[in-house]
Structure formats: structure tokens, C-alpha cells
Amino acid sequence: MAVPDLEKVSAVRRPVAGEVQVHDRRIYVVSGPDAARPDLREAFAGQDAGLCGAAVPGAVLLYTGLYSGDVPLVVEVHDGAPALDEDWEDVVEASFRPASDRTRLVRWDGGASWDLGLIRTDYRVRWCARGMDDAVELPAGTTGKLPVDGYLLQFWPAPPAPARVVRQTSDTAEDMHGYARATPRTPAQQAEAARRTRELFARAAEERAERAAEARRLHYEEWEWGGRLPSERLRDASGSNVLGLLRFDSELVHALDVAGPGVQRAVALLAARRACETAGLTGLPWVAHALAELAEGRPLPPPFDDGTRMREALRADPRVPDTSVRGATPPERPPYVPLPSKDTGHTHVEVVHMAVPAHTPGLISQPHFALPAVLAAADPAPLVAAIDAVWHALNTFGEHCPRFLGEIRSACAERAGKSFAALLRVRTTPPRPADVTAIVPQLAPLARTATRLHPRPGSPSPRDSSVGGPLLWPADEPWPHCDGPHEWDGVNVPVTPEGERRRRLRRAAEANGTPPDAPDGKAAGRTGADPRWPDGPVQRGGQEPTPDGPTARSPCCPWPSCT
């Protein structure tokens, strides 16, 4: 029999490939300081499968059909479970964990060995054989004769599992399976199995605890960074004021991160300039010169080349205005709610607030916050320069910082384009305080994807179209309407749009205490059936069908572009 075709298997390490001498139908895989080779009874005791005896920790006895001589043998080490070739007649699997950093394939007498290069982790072992019954009939000492049986030994990382018969064809394999099943474990093996079971459960508990701790860490970090995990660039910028800026505008922080060096430099320059403007420093020649050099990408001139000299120049210059503003206060944010406990499925609510002042901020000197923005804008790292310059400028604006942050957002969106603007508009739903489907599994089949809206106040103009604002309808598209009959259900009071507007006028007038008359001279509070109940489609442009034809434009659509 020929050696298995090694070219059929790819992306695998083969520490052994060729003919290996066996004796007494066995060869061993051993590890550990003493590298003991178990006897037949020890190796198969308590297993449901023969041929591959792994009952002794740190050792495997591999059973062959040939009693003594050379057999073709290939050893493979895989990263995952390999496919099973249909050519193999008998296949068994068992679990194995090396007892040391050196695991070897060892000949029956220990005279020859091959290092397998296995690490100390749990492996699954697969022993594949063919031609075993024919090899059993051969006399001992068949070295040099045509091989009759052949073998493949495979390893791959896998959690411990009982030994099992994957495929059984030969009578030799059947006999060995029966031998293994009839061989009970010795007391020492039972104690060792119990010890390994305890180790397995302890290791699994440690891994679960590590995964849970990592999940809790990421959950808190995601909350801390405004609903999304930071990039490595932001993590590397931890020495900057990034955590402080996060408290004011986390979306801006993440958008600056992906904006690129060009936009980051432009933001840093803009922040430094706006900080000096609002502090009244741009009229000072030495400050204006520094801003000009910064804009040209040149090193900052004296006294900005030294922080102490810069502060001394600020103190000594009588032209520095004495401007102050109340300090900036970050907006409130929802408290942190930890992940639920995996043991109970319940959440222990632990409120964690950001470190914000508990009192009303006092007055701060704007010039003393503005000049550090200039220094920050010159930082060699563009992202750090942008973050720190915006941070110092934000504090320079103090209680008016929302206006400044709005300017930065607009300038960034204009310079970086739609992609940056989209990043600033993105709204992220905070992490769920509890996994409802884990607590109530019956709800899992009912789960659906939902879209959560994050409305923000705005000031729409007549040219804007948005939910909650004026609606502009394209003049070249038909207005949606219903062609079906408009029948009164006999229960709800039928009203026209005009009647609904009168009802709202009545409620508003009652709230103000000055009920007006309706434009047609009728009471503003008129209710009941309206003789103009429509019996046709709703017209476009705010028009309503009447006995005399469509009315003029409705007051709810005042814009000239709405036709």
C-alpha cells in the first residue's frame, strides 16, 4: 500500500510523513516529564472506542494491524477540524491534552521519536486506518515488504469530548472497540478523570468570567464614548483632552477622527482663531503673528515657543482685554446602566454619572483659555491638534460654547463634504439596559428590526422640508389622493379639513380666554356634520372640493413654492 497522497491536503503542518516502525501492534504519542507509555489496559480503560487509547492523561496508544514492521504513517496538525477522506476504512476520535511543552510520536521501544510541535491546549485526535485485517495475517518482521496497512493521525484544537467510533469496517477494529468497552477504569483513572473534569469546569468558568468582564468593559467604554467604541487613533489620543470634549459633543469627536489630517488641521486653525477672536486678542500684534504663522504651517514664533513665556507676555501686555465669561457646562446625559447579570438575568442598576461640576460654574478669564488653543493647534499630530484646540476654544466661549460647536460642525461639513455631515447627523441608540430575549426567551421569535428617530430642535426656513417643518411638494408630481368612496361610518363625526381647523381655533381661543368668531361669521367652535363633507378625492395644494369647486389655497400651505 502506498503512502497517502500528501498533495491532496493543503494548509496543514505535517511533522511526520513516511514509514514508521511498530511493534506489538502499537506506537505512542507521549508528553510530560517522564514520557510514560501506558499499557493496553490503561490506554483503553473506560473508552467506547478502541484503536486510539487516550485514557491516560498526556499519552495516546495507537493500535495497528501489523504486529511488527514498518507502516506508512502521516501526522497532520490542523487549525480546525479537517474533512474526513472516504478512503479510510476505520476511524476513531479521542481527546488529548499535552502534559508539557514537548509532545512526541515515540516508537514502541523509545528508540526513535518525532517532535509534533503541539502547544499545551486541548486537541481532538483522529486515528484513521485501512487494511488492518490483511495486515493482521502477516507474520512479524515484514520490514521492506510492500505495505498492506496505512495510517493517518490528525490533531486540531477542540474542547474535550468522549472517545467515539467514527467509522468501523474491519474485524480488528471491532474487536478493539469491544475490548475498550469491556475495560473499566481503574480507581486511579477515575480519580484522574474527576480531577480533569473539575479542571475543565474551572477553566470554563474562568473563560466565561473573562468574557463577561470584557463585555462589561466594552459596554461601559461604548457608553463613555457616546454610544460607539473608539478607534485605535482615538485610544492613542488618550493623553489629549478627548475625554473632556466627549462630554460636550461625542459625535464631533468621532467625526473628527475619520475626517483626515487636512480637515483636522483646518479645524485646529479655526478653533484657535475663533478662541482669540472671542477673547479679543486678535488685535495684539504678537497674537496675530502667531495665528498667521500657524496658518502657513510654520513653527510658532516667540513667545509661543515656550508656555511660560507666553503666559508672562499675556500678563505683561496692558492691551490684553479683561474679558470673562461663565464657564462651560456639558449637557446632561443618561446615566450608565450596567449589563444584566448572566447568573440571574436581572440588571443591578448602578447609576454612573460623568464627572461634572455640581454647582453653577464661575467666571473664567477668556484670554487665559484662548492662547492654549493656539499652542494646541500646532501639535504635530493633526487629530490631537484638532481635539485640544477645540477643547480650549470651547472653554474660551464658556456658557456660549454650543454656538461655537455649531460653527465647527458647519465648517467641517463644508470642508469635508457630505460624508462628514452624515457622520455628524448620525444618532446612536444607547445600549439596552437588559437583553429582553434572554430574560423572556418566548419573545425572541417576535423580534423585529426597528428604526429609532432622534429628533432635535431646529429652525427650518421656507426652503426646508422635514418632519415637523414645512412640507414642500414637487410641482411636477401629482398629489397623493384616495379615489375610494368617502362614506360616513355613522359613529365618528364627519368633518372637512376646514372644520378641523375651526375646531383647533376654538380650542386655542378657549385656552387664551378670547374666543374669536370664525372668518365666515360662524362660531369658531362649530362641530357636528359638515354639509361640505367631501365625496371625491382630496385635491393637491391644500385645496378642498366644495359645491362650487376647489377652494383657494389652505392657510396651512402658505409657501409660494407649494402649488
Side-chain angles (χ1 to χ4, degrees), residues 94-372:
S95 291
F96 169 73
R97 184 181 181 87
S100 71
D101 295 330
R102 188 184 182 195
T103 302
R104 297 171 294 151
L105 179 72
V106 181
R107 203 172 64 182
W108 60 276
D109 58 356
S113 65
W114 298 262
D115 194 345
L116 302 183
L118 301 181
I119 63 175
R120 299 183 70 173
T121 189
D122 291 311
Y123 287 94
R124 193 65 173 169
V125 184
R126 179 185 291 166
W127 180 240
C128 306
R130 58 187 165 208
M132 294 191 72
D133 284 346
D134 293 337
V136 167
E137 304 297 329
L138 294 178
T142 58
T143 302
K145 295 183 179 180
L146 181 67
V148 175
D149 51 349
Y151 301 91
L152 172 66
L153 178 63
Q154 296 174 313
F155 294 87
W156 68 92
R164 72 186 185 102
V165 177
V166 179
R167 184 181 300 157
Q168 185 260 308
T169 303
S170 67
D171 293 337
T172 303
E174 183 180 10
D175 292 342
M176 286 303 300
H177 298 330
Y179 173 81
R181 292 162 187 160
T183 304
R185 289 180 176 176
T186 64
Q189 287 178 325
Q190 291 177 354
E192 178 63 21
R195 184 190 66 80
R196 294 196 65 188
T197 300
R198 290 193 298 270
E199 287 184 354
L200 176 63
F201 277 97
R203 190 161 59 247
E206 291 176 0
E207 292 175 354
R208 287 196 303 271
E210 291 174 358
R211 289 194 299 268
E214 180 64 9
R216 289 192 298 269
R217 186 190 69 80
L218 293 176
H219 188 262
Y220 177 81
E221 187 178 35
E222 187 176 17
W223 171 83
E224 183 183 32
W225 287 82
R228 72 186 85 171
L229 292 175
S231 67
E232 289 303 317
R233 294 182 299 272
L234 286 175
R235 294 183 198 274
D236 293 341
S238 58
S240 66
N241 291 287
V242 62
L243 295 180
L245 186 56
L246 274 173
R247 292 159 47 196
F248 286 86
D249 197 333
S250 61
E251 293 172 1
L252 180 60
V253 170
H254 290 284
L256 283 174
D257 173 40
V258 300
V263 175
Q264 292 162 358
R265 285 294 179 196
V267 167
L269 177 60
L270 175 61
R273 187 177 299 278
R274 291 293 291 119
C276 292
E277 288 175 355
T278 194
L281 299 177
T282 52
L284 302 181
W286 55 282
V287 175
H289 181 48
L291 291 174
E293 294 296 285
L294 184 64
E296 295 297 328
R298 292 191 287 264
L300 291 176
F304 287 91
D305 56 344
D306 181 82
T308 302
R309 292 176 58 191
M310 180 195 71
R311 288 187 291 272
E312 178 61 26
L314 184 66
R315 185 191 65 80
D317 193 336
R319 296 168 297 178
V320 174
D322 184 16
T323 56
S324 61
V325 69
R326 196 168 298 280
T329 302
E332 293 185 4
R333 62 179 302 180
Y336 174 66
V337 180
L339 287 171
S341 170
K342 296 296 183 182
D343 298 329
T344 62
H346 299 293
T347 301
H348 171 67
V349 178
E350 177 184 352
V351 178
V352 179
H353 293 281
M354 296 294 284
V356 297
H359 60 280
T360 303
L363 296 178
I364 57 100
S365 171
Q366 289 181 300
H368 287 81
F369 276 94
L371 291 190

Side-chain angles (χ1 to χ4, degrees), residues 483-506:
D483 292 321
H486 296 75
E487 299 179 357
W488 182 32
D489 59 9
V491 178
N492 298 292
V493 178
V495 294
T496 63
E498 180 63 27
E500 176 63 19
R501 282 191 288 274
R502 288 199 301 269
R503 184 181 65 84
R504 295 182 181 182
L505 284 173
R506 176 183 61 81

